Structures are given as C-alpha cells and as structure tokens.
Amino acid sequence: TMRAAIVILTCTCLATAGALSAGEVAVEHYSEDPAAQLPFSDAVRVGDMLYLSGKIGNLPGTLQLAAGGIQGETRQTLENIKASLEKYGSSLDEVVKCTVFLADIAEWGAMNEVYVTYFTANPPARSALGTSGLALGARVEIECLAAMR
C-alpha cells in the first residue's frame, strides 16, 4: 500500500511536471494562515485541479483535536476538508481522489463509517494506509485532489 501510494504520487508529479514544462498550466499556491509560516501550502491549484494538503481533525482555529476518537476526528477532518474546498472554489462533489492515513489501520472500519456519509454519490478514488504517527497525535489525516468548478 505504501508502494502504491508512492507510485500514484510519482505519476501525479510526473504528469504535473510535464504539463508545467509545456507552459500550459497556471499554478497558484494558497496558504491558510501566512503568518504561521508553515513549510507547505494549504492547497495548490494546477489548472483545473486543486491539491489539498493533508487535513486532520483539529477544531478550526485551534490545535485541539475533536472529541470522539477516530469517528469524531474523521468527521472534523472531513468538515475541515469541506471548508477548504469551498474556500478555494471547489466542493466535496468535485473530489476525485483521497488518501487516508490512519494511526492504527485497525480503525479503518470506524473511520469508513463516517467517511461514506460525506461521499454518498460518485465517491472518489481512495487509498488508505496505516502510519507510525500523525501530526498532533491525530488518529486520521486525509488529503484530497479535487476538480475546480
């Protein structure tokens, strides 16, 4: 699964690099909080695609994780994703691919019970993998790629 994630990321990067080298696509970087000076963009728009950085289930404007374990964090993570997508001109309906990182792969079923309520029709492609730790001790992190409206 880690190997598959690396292959997907490599293919995405090569496709993007090919389009950029041809000078065909505009690139815009978006920062959620420029004052925070994080070493990554909150999102990057490449042509008609939006690449969101991974989101965790922190309550908006804080570093506090949502209560309720994996399900509470998954719900908040997806609400954070929804807000970012809408802020940058897309929506959950436009998501084409998600990658789910779990602190414990055994929580996949509980995460999925919440996840499927956000993608009820035409769910995006998805990969899921277990990790040895996530930022702030989170149980779940999800990154998405979405088309722009």
Side-chain angles (χ1 to χ4, degrees):
T1 54
M2 180 61 101
R3 187 177 192 165
I6 291 170
V7 169
I8 291 168
L9 182 59
T10 302
C11 291
T12 301
C13 290
L14 290 174
T16 301
L20 292 176
S21 65
E24 302 168 6
V25 179
V27 177
E28 294 180 65
H29 295 261
Y30 303 111
S31 293
E32 187 170 345
D33 181 6
Q37 297 185 359
L38 296 172
F40 54 87
S41 296
D42 187 43
V44 177
R45 180 179 180 161
V46 180
D48 291 333
M49 288 298 299
L50 185 66
Y51 298 78
L52 286 186
S53 289
K55 302 285 184 195
I56 60 173
N58 61 301
L59 301 173
T62 76
L63 298 178
Q64 180 183 347
L65 294 170
I70 187 68
Q71 290 193 327
E73 285 187 40
T74 300
R75 188 170 293 102
Q76 187 61 57
T77 297
L78 289 162
E79 288 296 325
N80 294 345
I81 288 168
K82 180 180 175 185
S84 288
L85 289 168
E86 290 172 358
K87 177 179 179 180
Y88 301 124
S90 191
S91 71
L92 286 173
D93 291 337
E94 305 300 324
V95 173
V96 297
K97 173 73 168 84
C98 289
T99 305
V100 179
F101 303 91
L102 295 164
D104 182 353
I105 197 69
E107 295 181 318
W108 182 89
M111 174 280 302
N112 198 56
E113 286 178 15
V114 175
Y115 179 94
V116 298
T117 67
Y118 283 81
F119 299 105
T120 55
N122 301 314
R126 185 179 82 182
S127 302
L129 53 129
T131 69
S132 62
L134 296 169
L136 303 179
R139 308 299 308 149
V140 62
E141 179 173 339
I142 302 174
E143 65 178 25
C144 295
L145 289 79
M148 300 297 292
R149 293 185 210 142

